[in-house]
């Protein structure tokens, strides 16, 4: 599921979007939750890519078996990769299968250029070749291998990032969230348990209410929060504050004002991390300073 930080990120994105192109709140809120759901589509798309690599390996083996002139590796192919226990659990996961069946555009064609090129790079790599030479089928080793494979060829692959950006514009902003979800999914798998469910986007109505309220409070109190921000700027005009910095700060101030049960340090730390994702290199220092001063002025614990 999305953590509160990721929900805060989507609120910040929505507020920033609003001040670039104002629209009715109901539409903005709907777009925010639609964006959250699109992260789930990317998450499934990435899981399907891992399964696609396994399917492509099986396809290559079938081609080898049907050759007229066969080598020993064609007749007796190394099946360690296709028998990887983590890949098999992902392949058989009923929720992935059902959702992919409902959204066939999230499936990978075995002839897709990105899938084929990634498969070729993977099988030529030392990590894959060393893995295939190792004897035995330790679940822990399988898990570590797929985790590293995901990082190398999906999470940290610029070509993959460009590919998904061309498919869905919002995915490029949210891939770090989907990456985290896939890594958690791989890490949570157990050898002696079936993989029955996947990570949910919104845990419950409480999280949904939190997102809606934070978005509404931030927009409704924008001018008042700008004033609070301006009063704590030293030798700096409000007009010179970058819009994204202003959005992060006003959203954080809204949460500090309207969600009394969340400790101030937790809120400040969350928005510092959000600044690292969306703002400039020095924004997190600036944001930390303003929010810390605001909390001290209010004696906010």
């Amino acid at each position: 599921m999305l953590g509160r930080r990721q929900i805060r990120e989507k609120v910040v994105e929505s507020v920033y979007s609003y001040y670039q192109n104002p629209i009715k709140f109901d539409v903005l809120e709907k777009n925010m939750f639609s964006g959250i759901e699109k992260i789930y589509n990317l998450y499934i798309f990435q899981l399907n890519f891992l399964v696609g690599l396994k399917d492509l390996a099986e396809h290559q083996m079938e081609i080898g078996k049907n050759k007229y002139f066969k080598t020993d590796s064609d007749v007796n192919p190394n099946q360690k990769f296709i028998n990887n226990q983590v890949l098999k659990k992902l392949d058989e996961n009923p929720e992935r299968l059902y959702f992919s069946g409902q959204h066939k555009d999230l499936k990978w064609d075995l002839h897709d250029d990105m899938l084929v090129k990634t498969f070729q790079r993977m099988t030529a790599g030392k990590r894959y070749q060393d893995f295939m030479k190792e004897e035995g089928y330790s679940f822990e080793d399988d898990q570590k291998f797929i985790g590293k494979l995901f990082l190398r060829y999906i999470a940290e692959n610029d070509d993959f990032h460009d590919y998904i950006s061309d498919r869905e514009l919002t995915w490029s902003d949210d891939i770090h969230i989907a990456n985290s979800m896939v890594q958690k999914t791989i890490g949570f798998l157990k050898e002696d348990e079936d993989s029955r469910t996947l990570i949910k986007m919104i845990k419950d109505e409480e999280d949904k209410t939190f997102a809606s309220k934070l978005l509404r409070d931030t927009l409704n109190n924008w001018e008042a929060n700008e004033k609070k921000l301006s009063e704590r700027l030293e030798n700096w005009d409000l007009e010179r504050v970058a819009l994204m910095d202003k959005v992060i700060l006003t959203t954080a101030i809204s949460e500090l004002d309207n969600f009394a049960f969340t400790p101030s340090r937790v809120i400040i730390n969350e928005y510092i991390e959000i600044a690292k994702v969306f703002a400039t290199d020095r924004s997190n220092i600036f944001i930390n300073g303003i929010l810390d001063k605001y909390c001290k002025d209010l004696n906010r614990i």
Side-chain angles (χ1 to χ4, degrees):
M1 68 197 74
L2 285 186
R4 284 292 173 97
R5 179 180 302 167
Q6 287 76 33
I7 292 175
R8 290 178 177 103
E9 280 188 24
K10 299 310 292 182
V11 172
V12 165
E13 283 183 1
S14 298
V15 175
Y16 183 80
S17 171
Y18 176 82
Y19 279 97
Q20 288 189 312
N21 181 32
I23 55 178
K24 291 182 179 180
F25 177 82
D26 290 348
V27 177
L28 184 69
E29 182 184 47
K30 181 180 178 181
N31 290 345
M32 178 178 70
F33 285 115
S34 175
I36 289 173
E37 291 305 317
K38 285 180 181 178
I39 301 174
Y40 188 81
N41 286 24
L42 174 56
Y43 166 58
I44 295 296
F45 193 59
Q46 290 179 316
L47 291 178
N48 286 349
F49 189 79
L50 291 173
V51 174
L53 291 172
K54 173 180 174 292
D55 291 342
L56 185 54
E58 291 177 322
H59 181 66
Q60 293 294 323
M61 288 181 187
E62 288 302 314
I63 291 175
K65 290 178 181 178
N66 291 322
K67 285 181 180 177
Y68 188 77
F69 296 104
K70 301 180 182 68
T71 64
D72 288 341
S73 61
D74 291 328
V75 176
N76 297 298
N78 186 336
Q79 299 189 31
K80 187 168 186 182
F81 180 69
I82 67 169
N83 286 329
N84 182 286
Q85 297 168 81
V86 170
L87 286 181
K88 291 179 78 172
K89 285 181 181 295
L90 294 177
D91 190 12
E92 296 166 0
N93 181 277
E95 189 168 318
R96 184 197 67 82
L97 289 167
Y98 176 78
F99 195 82
S100 299
Q102 298 294 310
H103 301 81
K104 291 183 170 52
D105 59 311
L106 299 179
K107 294 182 177 180
W108 286 83
D109 186 284
L110 292 185
H111 301 290
D112 187 283
D113 196 46
M114 174 57 63
L115 186 68
V116 172
K117 285 184 176 180
T118 301
F119 180 79
Q120 291 170 344
R121 288 176 57 200
M122 177 189 73
T123 53
K126 185 176 184 301
R127 178 175 287 125
Y128 176 88
Q129 293 178 3
D130 288 345
F131 174 77
M132 297 297 279
K133 291 175 185 176
E134 294 173 359
E135 296 183 0
Y137 290 89
S138 160
F139 184 82
E140 184 178 344
D141 288 343
D142 282 0
Q143 199 168 33
K144 287 180 179 178
F145 175 74
I146 297 303
K148 290 177 181 178
L149 183 151
F150 172 74
L151 284 175
R152 175 70 178 85
Y153 296 105
I154 301 178
E156 299 173 355
N157 184 352
D158 290 339
D159 290 338
F160 189 86
H161 290 199
D162 292 339
Y163 183 94
I164 64 165
S165 296
D166 290 339
R167 282 185 59 104
E168 173 58 57
L169 189 60
T170 62
W171 280 358
S172 60
D173 293 328
D174 297 323
I175 190 169
H176 64 288
I177 300 175
N179 287 344
S180 176
M181 292 168 66
V182 174
Q183 287 176 294
K184 287 178 181 177
T185 299
I186 294 170
F188 288 160
L189 292 173
K190 305 294 183 185
E191 182 176 9
D192 55 351
E193 295 178 9
D194 291 337
S195 173
R196 307 299 303 175
T197 59
L198 298 175
I199 295 175
K200 301 291 188 291
M201 297 311 303
I202 294 288
K203 180 176 66 174
D204 50 31
E205 281 301 315
E206 184 179 345
D207 274 353
K208 190 170 184 179
T209 299
F210 170 78
S212 295
K213 178 173 169 53
L214 183 57
L215 180 63
R216 187 180 296 276
D217 288 345
T218 302
L219 294 177
N220 287 346
N221 298 296
W222 179 266
E223 291 183 2
N225 289 342
E226 270 195 324
K227 187 173 185 297
K228 295 172 185 176
L229 169 58
S230 181
E231 290 170 352
R232 288 161 180 85
L233 293 174
E234 296 181 2
N235 304 317
W236 199 261
D237 294 329
L238 184 63
E239 291 73 20
R240 296 177 62 189
V241 178
L243 177 59
M244 180 53 79
D245 288 353
K246 193 185 297 184
V247 167
I248 293 171
L249 282 164
T250 52
T251 307
I253 290 171
S254 288
E255 185 169 354
L256 287 165
D257 287 348
N258 297 290
F259 294 84
F261 293 108
T262 307
S264 62
R265 182 41 58 185
V266 170
I267 294 174
I268 292 173
N269 287 342
E270 290 285 83
Y271 286 96
I272 288 172
E273 293 303 314
I274 290 172
K276 292 177 182 178
V277 174
F278 292 126
T280 63
D281 292 340
R282 300 192 61 176
S283 291
N284 58 311
I285 300 172
F286 171 63
I287 286 166
N288 181 35
I290 295 292
L291 295 179
D292 188 59
K293 182 173 175 54
Y294 183 70
C295 289
K296 287 178 180 177
D297 290 346
L298 270 63
N299 197 27
R300 171 73 154 84
I301 299 175

